[in-house]
Amino acid sequence: MGRLGFGNTESVRLLPLAVFGVLALSLVLAEQEGENLSGLSNNPDKAIFAVRENGTTCLMVEFAVRFLVPYDVLALNGIDLITEQASFTLPRSAEIEGKCDSSESEIHITWKNKAYSLRIFFSKEFPDKGTEVWKISKVQFIYDTSETSHFINAYNRECPAEPVYTGKHTATTHRLSALVTPAGHSFVCQAQQTFTLISSDHQKGITMSMYDVQIQPFDIASDFVFSEPYKCITDQRERLEETLPLILGFILALIIVITLTVYHFHLKMTASQPQLPRDRSMYKNM
């Protein structure tokens, strides 16, 4: 009986370890990996990235991205600092990581040996009348001004007491709610989408522009295939501006045709009626 009691006690002690082991195994089984599909695009500026979970696509982005980053350069007098602008694009050869969940997901893109890192965070919500939507909730960009391919002659002060002046900086959006899209749809926009990020480098403003965009972070039904597109308002307006002259031209042509048709029938009706003499003296002979 003593041995039996000892066994039950050990079972109770081992139960939490067993539960922890099951949870850890489930996390391992839910393996998530990133894939770079940019080679499928004919556009040399456009990148295509996917995040897959257990062999199925759970997040997919297709876009071209450009950054405009201000940075400090030492003036010719060796004392003052002047601000230059670095402009560069997101390379198609970047490395991809990501995370998918039912209500939150993210994609992590790095390049140049992790000198540059872009994180885009997505979330789901129910804003009005129970309609579920997803949106970009945060964008974070980490860059290193000591990387000389884009930051030429950048001034990077190495000071342990003031680490903000080193080459590594983080820029982040604040209270972002962008690209709001109905759940189950992909966001599509040819027009430029601009984000402003505030940098740890003296609160400098960094501009990130995305264009030729198609994104879907949730509810992808088929592997590597976007769901039904939801076009941005800018594209819808531009499409209306393109088609409006055609519509007005068609209406004008239709009005002209109707006017000519009515006039033609009027002439025929007039020609078929008997003509009365214009000279009143002729009425006496009638």
Side-chain angles (χ1 to χ4, degrees):
M1 292 294 292
R3 290 183 180 180
L4 181 60
F6 178 78
N8 290 336
T9 303
E10 288 298 318
S11 299
V12 172
R13 291 178 180 177
L14 291 176
L15 182 60
L17 295 177
V19 173
F20 177 79
V22 171
L23 292 175
L25 180 60
S26 64
L27 291 175
V28 172
L29 291 175
E31 183 180 359
Q32 295 173 342
E33 58 182 358
E35 291 201 23
N36 189 330
L37 308 173
S38 301
L40 300 177
S41 174
N42 295 324
N43 186 339
D45 296 326
K46 181 187 286 188
I48 305 175
F49 304 132
V51 177
R52 309 185 78 217
E53 182 178 74
N54 294 331
T56 303
T57 306
C58 58
L59 187 157
M60 196 167 173
V61 300
E62 181 176 346
F63 53 20
V65 182
R66 176 170 291 277
F67 299 92
L68 188 63
V69 183
Y71 66 99
D72 292 331
V73 175
L74 197 63
L76 294 177
N77 60 13
I79 299 174
D80 298 326
L81 294 176
I82 59 177
T83 301
E84 297 285 353
Q85 298 277 357
S87 178
F88 51 90
T89 59
L90 173 67
R92 289 155 53 102
S93 58
E95 298 179 0
I96 313 303
E97 294 178 354
K99 182 178 68 174
C100 295
D101 201 352
S102 59
S103 60
E104 293 183 349
S105 62
E106 68 177 82
I107 186 167
H108 183 200
I109 307 167
T110 59
W111 64 99
K112 285 281 185 181
N113 295 321
K114 300 188 183 300
Y116 303 92
S117 168
L118 174 64
R119 287 182 183 267
I120 304 177
F121 299 84
F122 305 91
S123 63
K124 274 186 177 182
E125 61 180 25
F126 295 87
D128 296 312
K129 300 178 181 179
T131 302
E132 189 178 29
V133 299
W134 64 262
K135 66 178 183 178
I136 294 180
S137 56
K138 182 181 177 181
V139 176
Q140 182 187 76
F141 178 55
I142 300 174
Y143 61 100
D144 191 348
T145 54
S146 63
E147 199 281 308
T148 57
S149 62
H150 300 306
F151 300 98
I152 302 172
N153 299 323
Y155 182 68
N156 301 304
R157 280 178 282 184
E158 299 293 341
C159 179
E162 296 180 300
V164 71
Y165 295 128
T166 61
K168 206 81 168 180
H169 303 288
T170 301
T172 311
T173 56
H174 294 276
R175 298 180 180 178
L176 183 63
S177 180
L179 279 56
V180 179
T181 304
H185 291 70
S186 62
F187 175 87
V188 176
C189 196
Q190 299 293 323
Q192 180 173 294
Q193 305 292 308
T194 302
F195 301 84
T196 300
L197 295 76
I198 304 303
S199 174
S200 58
D201 181 15
H202 289 83
Q203 301 297 302
K204 290 183 173 67
I206 292 175
T207 302
M208 186 186 84
S209 301
M210 300 191 309
Y211 50 96
D212 204 2
V213 178
Q214 186 163 15
I215 296 177
Q216 186 172 357
F218 303 101
D219 306 318
I220 297 179
S222 301
D223 206 20
F224 298 122
V225 178
F226 287 108
S227 299
E228 182 181 353
Y230 174 79
K231 291 188 177 181
C232 62
I233 297 176
T234 307
D235 279 6
Q236 295 177 14
R237 187 182 300 116
E238 290 180 354
R239 182 66 181 271
L240 179 61
E241 291 174 353
E242 291 175 358
T243 57
L244 187 59
L246 298 176
I247 295 172
L248 293 177
F250 174 78
I251 293 173
L252 180 60
L254 186 61
I255 292 173
I256 293 173
V257 169
I258 293 173
T259 303
L260 292 175
T261 303
V262 171
Y263 180 69
H264 175 71
F265 277 102
H266 173 73
L267 291 178
K268 290 186 66 176
M269 294 285 292
T270 304
S272 63
Q273 293 178 356
Q275 299 293 324
L276 296 177
R278 294 183 179 181
D279 189 354
R280 293 186 177 182
S281 62
M282 298 179 63
Y283 284 104
K284 298 178 179 180
N285 300 326
M286 294 179 65

